[in-house]
Amino acid sequence: MNLVLLGAPGAGKGTQAKIIMEKYGIPQISTGDMLREAVTKGTELGKKAREYMNQGKLVPDEIVVEIVRERLSQKDCEKGFILDGFPRTIAQAEALDRILEKMGKKINAVINVNVPEEEVIKRIVYRRTCKKCGAIYHLLYNPPKKESTCDKCGGELYQREDDREETVKERFRVYRKNTEPLIDYYKKRRIFFDVDGTKDVEGVKREVLNILEKIKR
Ligand code: ADP
Ligand code: ADP
Ligand code: ZN
């Protein structure tokens, strides 16, 4: 299964991607996670991406497209993959189509996690992420047992630098302008599915798994 998760920043894409990954054994490809890792390691890529990310802007298309092209060519993507946070522009979506076409593959479903802006801001501001294993928490909705420690691996939890209110506003503006048009782009192709992302994690999971069972048939 080749999947794309769409949705505003903080809608719950990463949370659902991890659930799908565990259930179906296909990798989550999060361009945000890959870029953050490059920034932490201080690689050339990280140096290029850092300023854009901290300002809530998109990293240029050429850069992210190359990361995804490389990642999709790896062996673990053969049985399928979950793109989380990519594509984010029409140009990226077109580049993805070309990459997949060359590989003789196509997207089976684009799942849009739908959550209104006010709610998403609450999700983002209280989001905490594990430095070690990437597990995602929420201080109110999905709190860790110990304030800044990961339940799964004992790693340290941190708040992303771009998850502060000022940057979140800009990320939203960028989402509306550049990413929302992808909804129509994919609707035209009958591979588009909307889920009600305002439900709790279990509720959203049920909707997502229903869609996946449907497309598997
Ligand atoms: P995205 O990958 O779309 O940016 P995340 O999966 O990181 O979103 O989720 C953003 C925040 O919202 C996290 O703190 C996460 O724990 C929380 N969250 C995710 N899904 C839900 C949900 N259905 N209900 C409440 N909180 C959620
Ligand atoms: P969220 O889901 O909360 O918006 P991500 O972790 O997906 O956050 O992305 C964090 C940041 O990484 C984005 O604000 C952007 O700067 C950069 N980024 C991630 N994916 C892309 C992409 N596909 N194109 C351009 N920039 C990206
Ligand atoms: Zn952890």
Side-chain angles (χ1 to χ4, degrees):
M1 257 183 323
N2 305 331
L3 309 173
V4 170
L5 293 183
L6 273 186
K13 302 180 295 295
T15 300
Q16 296 300 324
K18 288 181 199 308
I19 291 172
I20 302 170
M21 174 169 74
E22 274 172 33
K23 181 154 166 87
Y24 292 94
I26 53 178
Q28 170 195 16
I29 302 180
S30 159
T31 41
D33 286 351
M34 290 191 280
L35 290 166
R36 273 186 294 281
E37 197 185 321
V39 170
T40 308
K41 286 189 176 151
T43 63
E44 277 311 304
L45 167 66
K47 283 180 203 150
K48 282 187 209 153
R50 186 181 176 147
E51 274 313 298
Y52 296 103
M53 296 174 79
N54 284 345
Q55 291 170 17
K57 311 265 188 224
L58 293 180
V59 174
D61 289 336
E62 314 82 74
I63 299 180
V64 275
V65 166
E66 280 321 304
I67 302 179
V68 170
R69 187 197 308 281
E70 209 279 316
R71 182 67 187 86
L72 285 175
S73 73
Q74 290 172 20
K75 186 136 192 5
D76 63 335
C77 294
E78 273 170 18
K79 329 173 262 187
F81 50 81
I82 311 152
L83 284 167
D84 159 14
F86 181 95
R88 258 178 153 95
T89 64
I90 297 278
Q92 290 179 17
E94 289 170 349
L96 176 63
D97 288 339
R98 288 192 295 269
I99 293 170
L100 292 177
E101 196 183 327
K102 272 202 185 140
M103 300 175 81
K105 294 185 179 175
K106 60 183 174 51
I107 301 166
N108 303 109
V110 175
I111 298 178
N112 184 43
V113 184
N114 220 327
V115 182
E117 180 161 346
E118 319 81 74
E119 179 56 28
V120 155
I121 294 197
K122 267 188 257 161
R123 290 191 183 179
I124 291 186
V125 183
Y126 293 107
R127 167 162 56 192
R128 296 292 182 274
T129 311
C130 175
K131 266 191 183 154
K132 217 162 124 192
C133 78
I136 304 165
Y137 295 88
H138 188 282
L139 293 184
L140 309 175
Y141 305 143
N142 176 26
K145 294 200 180 75
K146 270 200 277 171
E147 162 115 25
S148 44
T149 310
C150 177
D151 294 350
K152 293 190 179 124
C153 78
E156 188 192 333
L157 303 184
Y158 79 108
Q159 180 176 36
R160 279 167 44 178
E161 227 171 300
D162 61 344
D163 274 356
R164 301 170 204 270
E165 211 155 345
E166 318 82 72
T167 324
V168 171
K169 291 259 152 61
E170 176 60 15
R171 283 161 61 201
F172 249 92
R173 210 186 54 74
V174 168
Y175 167 75
R176 287 252 161 73
K177 178 163 181 276
N178 299 293
T179 310
E180 224 167 35
L182 290 176
I183 294 178
D184 276 330
Y185 183 86
Y186 287 119
K187 263 188 183 163
K188 288 184 187 135
R189 294 201 215 166
R190 304 181 52 189
I191 48 172
F192 181 87
F193 299 86
D194 242 329
V195 301
D196 175 6
T198 62
K199 295 183 178 168
D200 63 9
V201 172
E202 272 303 305
V204 180
K205 170 184 164 182
R206 263 195 301 274
E207 283 198 30
V208 168
L209 296 184
N210 274 339
I211 293 167
L212 299 185
E213 287 307 312
K214 224 191 291 171
I215 63 159
K216 264 175 62 188
R217 277 188 245 124

